[in-house]
Amino acid sequence: MGDMTNSDFYSKNQRNEANHAGEFGCTMEELRSLMELRGTEAVVKIKETYGDTEGICRRLKTSPVEGLPGTAPDLEKRKQIFGQNFIPPKKPKTFLQLVWEALQDVTLIILEIAAIISLGLSFYHPPGEGNEGCATAQAGAEDEGEAEAGWIEGAAILLSVICVVLVTAFNDWSKEKQFRGLQSRIEQEQKFTVVRGAQVIQIPVAEIVVGDIAQVKYGDLLPADGIFIQGNDLKIDESSLTGESDQVRKSVDKDPMLLSGTHVMEGSGRMLVTAVGVNSQTGIIFTLLGAGGEEEEKKDKKAKQQDGAAAMEMQPLKSAEGGDGDDKKKANMHKKEKSVLQGKLTKLAVQIGKAGLVMSAITVIILVLYFTVDTFVVNKKPWLPECTPVYVQYFVKFFIIGVTVLVVAVPEGLPLAVTISLAYSVKKMMKDNNLVRHLDACETMGNATAICSDKTGTLTTNRMTVVQAYIGDVHYKEIPEPSAINSQTMELLVNAIAINSAYTTKILPPEKEGALPRQVGNKTECGLLGFVLDLKQDYEPVRSQMPEEKLYKVYTFNSVRKSMSTVIKMPDESFRMYSKGASEIVLKKCCKILSPAGEARVFRPRDRDEMVKKVIEPMACDGLRTICVAYRDFPSSPEPDWENENDILNDLTCICVVGIEDPVRPEVPEAIRKCQRAGITVRMVTGDNINTARAIAIKCGIIHPGEDFLCIEGKEFNRRIRNEKGEIEQERIDKIWPKLRVLARSSPTDKHTLVKGIIDSTHTEQRQVVAVTGDGTNDGPALKKADVGFAMGIAGTDVAKEASDIILTDDNFSSIVKAVMWGRNVYDSISKFLQFQLTVNVVAVIVAFTGACITQDSPLKAVQMLWVNLIMDTFASLALATEPPTESLLLRKPYGRNKPLISRTMMKNILGHAVYQLTLIFTLLFVGEKMFMIDSGRNAPLHSPPSEHYTIIFNTFVMMQLFNEINARKIHGERNVFDGIFRNPIFCTIVLGTFAIQIVIVQFGGKPFSCSPLQLDQWMWCIFIGLGELVWGQVIATIPTSRLKFLKEAGRLTQKEEIPEEELNEDVEEIDHAERELRRGQILWFRGLNRIQTQIEVVNTFKSGASFQGALRRQSSVTSQSQDVTNLSSPSHVSLSNVLSSPTSTPPAAAGQG
């Protein structure tokens, strides 16, 4: 990838192979071609070439049981010959490329052209220069020196353009760097279990080498290609490579090929790694993507913006055909109307942009007309050929004024503010244990109205301990003494627990003195093993006596069985099966139970009902999970039909029932209270029994006794939402979900149905925004469907992380509350910035427009406007977007999708401050010279020196903005605008810094900035007028918003604009196509639109860990956009319209409706 094309990569490896072929019995090429076979072909090939899998192990000098010796030279040699498990990332863009991209911006180009024309004309002295008859305004204070200085304005404009471009490029560059950093963090955290030197260890995925023996288990994402050598019941989801959604059963004799990037759906086993990195199946596809060199580069630009990620997160290519095409499409559709903020901003930006364009056009037309009418009609001057350059110079000046109005009108700081705000939040959220994978998830979270949470591990600590047991007819409320239990029963119990659990589950000694023992692996099994240890027994000897290879048959746990069973061969050739699982399920299959003497006696349905009443329900009401452990013996002949599960898992003998406690995390009740206060409903969705679930929900505060709520089981839920035909009906779900608080014994499908039902519901006037937490592979669909999916960083499987938007690195529910706080903060930061930005824009545009119309010259010069634009956009976006969140954000209800971006209060502030600023500026413009006893600056000739009069106006304008920036910190009409100002050092630095630079510009800016130095008293007046902003702010705050019915709100998403269903079902490509057409047709704007889109792209790519889902899905759109893609996000002057709509966010329909 990078620069290494396929061919030279191989030639290099061929050389290596020639040198080392003798050391290993097979070359990389052989292994590679072997991995391209599937199913029986592969088995035949292995038999012919190597004899069996043992043969391959011998050739690769590894042992199926002990793994590689793990010595450094050996590992090094393997890396040299067979390559590393790492796909080289694509080079990041250089700073110069980013500068070039920032220069592509339309408004900047217009300015550059205007500046160059202006420069050219200033150096051109036409013969008619001295001709009095050319133009009226030519006369006046023009001396030789000044005429020479005509070039300064052009140069100053060019300089400020360069400033804007550098700032933009630097922002993009640092952002790219941050994402790469974040990406590599994610990679380093991805570990995999391998056997080396007979020790089971976890190593980073990039360290895996050919010949390693890796342990695969339920929920893993395979990091390399390999051959299955031993294991049980392994089922793989290969849809990422083949597009077939059915799970593929793997077995040593039928289909032993395991491919990188595929997901383990159930079972466990060991595999021999045969191909890594660029040589694995996923790697080959990656190489193909990047192989075509330069011409492909362009296509890949988007696809692999973040290829660094790809390095290890070798994500599967989601193919669009085959069984799971439909699901993929659904997932795409769903993400379309993902971000609320983006939709609103896009709309607002288009509106502002259009207004600005109209204003600037009118300004230019009026100026030109006034000039021509005045010169040629009123003064009846003829158009003299020698005067042409002078006239052209005037027209260029008018044109520059027009462009300046446009530049000020378009809030190009907006995309920047959004990006800064999101990037800043993401960085800070890392500290709060939220690893954000998709930027917009962070802001969507602020609008969340419902959270569907798992119980185990999220609300509870996920440290399972057995606290009650029912053995031999006695219900022990705490762990019994070993002597109290019959020795036969004890032996059966220890064997049943030790053998019938994943051998990767262990209990290790604590890391620190006095800490709790470490639980590794499945937590429920850890609880049971802990029970064995509490009974003063040991499970290790049992396991070493019966190693994993000797297990005869394993029925692994899955959400359908809800139990796990292991069959072993006894010394006398008969078979014994140990079973464990949810008590109500396993007890139904028991027909005997062990008596106090350790004998099996009959266990009738009547006894079972009594046991449920006397033992299981009381345990569940204490919030315990009940697990039943049982066994069954089979004769040696005839051998039972192991495939017929229903007959096998029957007639069991119950050994005991235990109650496992999973204590509620201490910080959860408080976190849930905060959520409820913030208007977010928390629902618990769990696979546990209903009594356990209810008990824990009460402990957490999800339900309060005496309230009107529903706690139901999955079966009942399904019965209520389906009609007679068994189809799910939305109106039935609408009857249930508003009151539903606990869904127990639920399957993954139930979780998905519930989430989808709440999202699609039109029951409330706002569409619900749902967050979901999950850790298991089976939570994937629900995590994908939700608006924001949280995966568990510690307990979560790779599949869950892959489907999620945010990873909770500490698996803790209270981190979700932090995410809500940050999300709301992002929204508020953008609103603050908008409130400030729009005030500046309104004032600057009106001043430039009216000034130009009345005095033929804008009171604010082009360069001054650019400076105002720079501070007011770039710096203000930094200052206001980095406000830290406060707890008070959690005291209000979520905004919801229909709330406008600019509320009435904000509109009142914008217009109120604009009135104040305009009044003062116009007062200064028309009577300022009398107040300050200075010369008037109005109607100055073309190259006249800067006047104090206009300098005062410029300075006052900037002072007012500075103090208004402090006002903008509050958007809900609060009185104290200084509240918490020192908690934000960035804000203080920027305000003071801007002030300092302003002093320099006014006192020493001279001609380029059209400034003339001011006296101290004049400065005092400017600052005094600026301070008036703060007083005026208080006046505005006193006016009740409710009185101002006439104020319109802006930037709201109406229901209509969310995409209609039919449109969604069209293919993604069509949407891209439409988007392309739209782009062609739009004026200036839509060129810039891609900008942020690309920024978000970078982030989206980060979503999928540069997955190639992204790569391929976008490949289609990329081809069409390769010419556009070059403008990677500059905070351009136009960059707004579908700016924030990443290719999958608003369809062109909505973007076009500005």
Side-chain angles (χ1 to χ4, degrees), residues 403-412 837 840-841 844-845 865-866 869:
V403 173
T404 320
V405 172
L406 176 62
V407 171
V408 178
V410 176
E412 73 281 30
Q837 167 86 55
V840 181
N841 285 8
V845 169
M865 291 274 219
L866 283 171
N869 216 22

Side-chain angles (χ1 to χ4, degrees), residues 108-395:
L108 285 180
I109 293 174
I110 296 178
L111 270 179
E112 287 155 21
I113 295 173
I116 290 167
I117 296 178
S118 154
L119 267 178
L121 286 171
S122 65
F123 288 127
Y124 172 56
H125 297 301
E129 182 83 43
N131 188 335
E132 287 304 307
C134 276
T136 42
Q138 194 61 22
E142 165 128 29
D143 57 36
E144 266 317 288
E146 288 304 333
E148 295 304 303
W151 59 273
I152 289 183
E153 183 170 41
I157 293 181
L158 281 182
L159 196 72
S160 41
V161 166
I162 291 171
C163 273
V164 172
V165 166
L166 288 178
V167 169
T168 307
F170 179 73
N171 270 316
D172 290 340
W173 179 76
S174 56
K175 198 164 65 239
E176 178 120 336
K177 202 165 118 236
Q178 254 178 10
F179 284 130
R180 284 188 180 255
L182 209 60
Q183 214 36 69
S184 58
R185 268 202 61 166
I186 296 181
E187 280 154 37
Q188 283 154 13
E189 282 170 7
Q190 203 190 351
K191 296 244 193 324
F192 210 78
T193 316
V194 298
V195 182
R196 283 192 184 165
Q199 291 292 312
V200 177
I201 54 169
Q202 286 219 321
I203 57 171
V205 169
E207 295 294 310
I208 293 177
V209 294
V210 170
D212 257 324
I213 302 294
Q215 292 202 343
V216 296
K217 59 178 188 314
Y218 160 83
D220 283 342
L221 176 72
L222 298 182
D225 291 355
I227 295 174
F228 184 48
I229 49 177
Q230 173 266 318
N232 33 53
D233 227 13
L234 193 68
K235 285 192 186 156
I236 306 267
D237 169 12
E238 291 189 351
S239 59
S240 51
L241 284 174
T242 59
E244 301 296 327
S245 54
D246 301 341
Q247 295 174 10
V248 185
R249 243 202 138 99
K250 296 289 179 186
S251 61
V252 183
D253 45 4
K254 292 203 183 66
D255 182 4
M257 295 308 192
L258 301 178
L259 305 172
S260 57
T262 57
H263 291 130
V264 182
M265 297 317 268
E266 49 179 277
S268 60
R270 291 180 173 199
M271 78 168 186
L272 163 68
V273 176
T274 55
V276 292
V278 238
N279 301 305
S280 63
Q281 292 303 301
T282 314
I284 292 171
I285 294 170
F286 245 117
T287 326
L288 290 178
L289 284 180
E294 287 310 297
E295 73 282 6
E296 295 272 326
E297 281 281 67
K298 289 202 175 51
K299 291 188 190 167
D300 288 1
K301 239 179 205 157
K302 260 195 180 166
K304 301 210 299 284
Q305 205 83 51
Q306 246 1 64
D307 217 49
M312 253 345 293
E313 292 273 75
M314 301 200 310
Q315 259 56 356
L317 312 146
K318 299 290 190 223
S319 64
E321 78 269 324
D324 71 345
D326 307 337
D327 313 345
K328 285 294 155 324
K329 252 175 237 172
K330 282 189 196 99
N332 279 345
M333 292 318 145
H334 162 59
K335 296 277 183 202
K336 282 260 168 351
E337 38 125 49
K338 183 77 176 182
S339 168
V340 189
L341 188 63
Q342 293 177 11
K344 292 178 179 177
L345 278 178
T346 304
K347 208 167 162 237
L348 191 70
V350 175
Q351 289 167 345
I352 297 174
K354 285 183 181 163
L357 193 63
V358 171
M359 287 294 266
S360 65
I362 295 177
T363 312
V364 174
I365 293 169
I366 289 181
L367 284 170
V368 171
L369 281 177
Y370 189 96
F371 176 77
T372 42
V373 169
D374 188 56
T375 311
F376 302 122
V377 181
V378 182
N379 297 335
K380 302 206 167 46
K381 293 264 170 70
W383 178 298
L384 299 172
E386 63 267 27
C387 291
T388 308
V390 182
Y391 297 146
V392 172
Q393 224 161 345
Y394 267 103
F395 291 147

